[in-house]
Short mmCIF file of all heavy atoms in Angstrom, two decimals:
data_model
loop_
_atom_site.label_atom_id
_atom_site.label_comp_id
_atom_site.label_asym_id
_atom_site.label_seq_id
_atom_site.Cartn_x
_atom_site.Cartn_y
_atom_site.Cartn_z
N GLY J 20 58.85 49.47 -6.68
CA GLY J 20 57.75 49.35 -5.75
C GLY J 20 57.42 47.90 -5.40
O GLY J 20 56.48 47.62 -4.68
N VAL J 21 58.22 46.98 -5.94
CA VAL J 21 57.98 45.56 -5.71
C VAL J 21 58.84 45.11 -4.54
O VAL J 21 59.82 44.40 -4.70
CB VAL J 21 58.28 44.73 -6.99
CG1 VAL J 21 57.92 43.27 -6.78
CG2 VAL J 21 57.50 45.29 -8.17
N CYS J 22 58.48 45.56 -3.37
CA CYS J 22 59.22 45.17 -2.16
C CYS J 22 58.29 45.36 -0.97
O CYS J 22 57.19 45.87 -1.11
CB CYS J 22 60.49 46.02 -2.01
SG CYS J 22 60.20 47.79 -2.00
N GLY J 23 58.73 44.93 0.17
CA GLY J 23 57.91 45.08 1.36
C GLY J 23 57.02 43.88 1.57
O GLY J 23 56.97 42.95 0.78
N PRO J 24 56.25 43.90 2.67
CA PRO J 24 55.44 42.74 3.04
C PRO J 24 54.23 42.50 2.15
O PRO J 24 53.79 41.36 1.98
CB PRO J 24 55.01 43.05 4.47
CG PRO J 24 55.10 44.53 4.59
CD PRO J 24 56.18 44.97 3.65
N SER J 25 53.64 43.55 1.59
CA SER J 25 52.48 43.34 0.71
C SER J 25 52.73 44.08 -0.60
O SER J 25 52.77 45.30 -0.66
CB SER J 25 51.19 43.86 1.36
OG SER J 25 51.30 45.22 1.64
N VAL J 26 52.91 43.31 -1.66
CA VAL J 26 53.23 43.85 -2.96
C VAL J 26 51.97 43.97 -3.81
O VAL J 26 51.19 43.02 -3.90
CB VAL J 26 54.28 42.94 -3.66
CG1 VAL J 26 54.58 43.46 -5.06
CG2 VAL J 26 55.54 42.86 -2.85
N ASP J 27 51.79 45.12 -4.42
CA ASP J 27 50.66 45.36 -5.30
C ASP J 27 50.86 44.52 -6.58
O ASP J 27 51.89 44.66 -7.26
CB ASP J 27 50.60 46.85 -5.66
CG ASP J 27 49.47 47.22 -6.58
OD1 ASP J 27 48.81 46.32 -7.15
OD2 ASP J 27 49.24 48.43 -6.76
N PRO J 28 49.92 43.64 -6.91
CA PRO J 28 50.08 42.79 -8.10
C PRO J 28 50.27 43.61 -9.39
O PRO J 28 50.91 43.16 -10.33
CB PRO J 28 48.81 41.97 -8.16
CG PRO J 28 48.07 42.23 -6.91
CD PRO J 28 48.69 43.37 -6.21
N GLU J 29 49.69 44.79 -9.43
CA GLU J 29 49.84 45.66 -10.62
C GLU J 29 51.29 46.08 -10.78
O GLU J 29 51.81 46.14 -11.89
CB GLU J 29 48.91 46.86 -10.51
CG GLU J 29 48.92 47.76 -11.71
CD GLU J 29 48.37 47.14 -12.99
OE1 GLU J 29 48.06 45.92 -13.03
OE2 GLU J 29 48.27 47.86 -13.99
N LEU J 30 51.98 46.38 -9.67
CA LEU J 30 53.39 46.74 -9.73
C LEU J 30 54.23 45.55 -10.18
O LEU J 30 55.19 45.71 -10.94
CB LEU J 30 53.87 47.27 -8.39
CG LEU J 30 53.32 48.62 -7.97
CD1 LEU J 30 53.75 48.97 -6.56
CD2 LEU J 30 53.76 49.71 -8.95
N THR J 31 53.87 44.37 -9.73
CA THR J 31 54.57 43.17 -10.16
C THR J 31 54.39 42.95 -11.65
O THR J 31 55.33 42.63 -12.37
CB THR J 31 54.07 41.93 -9.38
OG1 THR J 31 54.21 42.19 -7.98
CG2 THR J 31 54.82 40.69 -9.75
N ARG J 32 53.17 43.12 -12.13
CA ARG J 32 52.87 42.93 -13.56
C ARG J 32 53.66 43.90 -14.41
O ARG J 32 54.30 43.51 -15.40
CB ARG J 32 51.38 43.10 -13.83
CG ARG J 32 51.01 42.86 -15.31
CD ARG J 32 49.61 43.37 -15.64
NE ARG J 32 49.46 44.79 -15.46
CZ ARG J 32 49.90 45.71 -16.35
NH1 ARG J 32 50.54 45.36 -17.43
NH2 ARG J 32 49.69 47.00 -16.11
N ILE J 33 53.66 45.19 -14.04
CA ILE J 33 54.36 46.18 -14.88
C ILE J 33 55.86 45.98 -14.80
O ILE J 33 56.56 46.11 -15.82
CB ILE J 33 53.93 47.64 -14.53
CG1 ILE J 33 54.36 48.60 -15.64
CG2 ILE J 33 54.49 48.10 -13.23
CD1 ILE J 33 53.64 48.44 -16.93
N ALA J 34 56.39 45.62 -13.63
CA ALA J 34 57.83 45.36 -13.52
C ALA J 34 58.23 44.18 -14.39
O ALA J 34 59.27 44.20 -15.06
CB ALA J 34 58.20 45.12 -12.06
N SER J 35 57.41 43.14 -14.40
CA SER J 35 57.68 41.96 -15.23
C SER J 35 57.64 42.30 -16.71
O SER J 35 58.50 41.89 -17.49
CB SER J 35 56.68 40.86 -14.89
OG SER J 35 56.91 39.72 -15.70
N ALA J 36 56.64 43.07 -17.12
CA ALA J 36 56.52 43.45 -18.53
C ALA J 36 57.71 44.30 -18.96
O ALA J 36 58.27 44.11 -20.05
CB ALA J 36 55.21 44.20 -18.77
#
Side-chain angles (χ1 to χ4, degrees):
V21 185
C22 56
S25 60
V26 177
D27 180 349
E29 184 65 354
L30 291 174
T31 304
R32 182 195 62 78
I33 195 68
S35 178

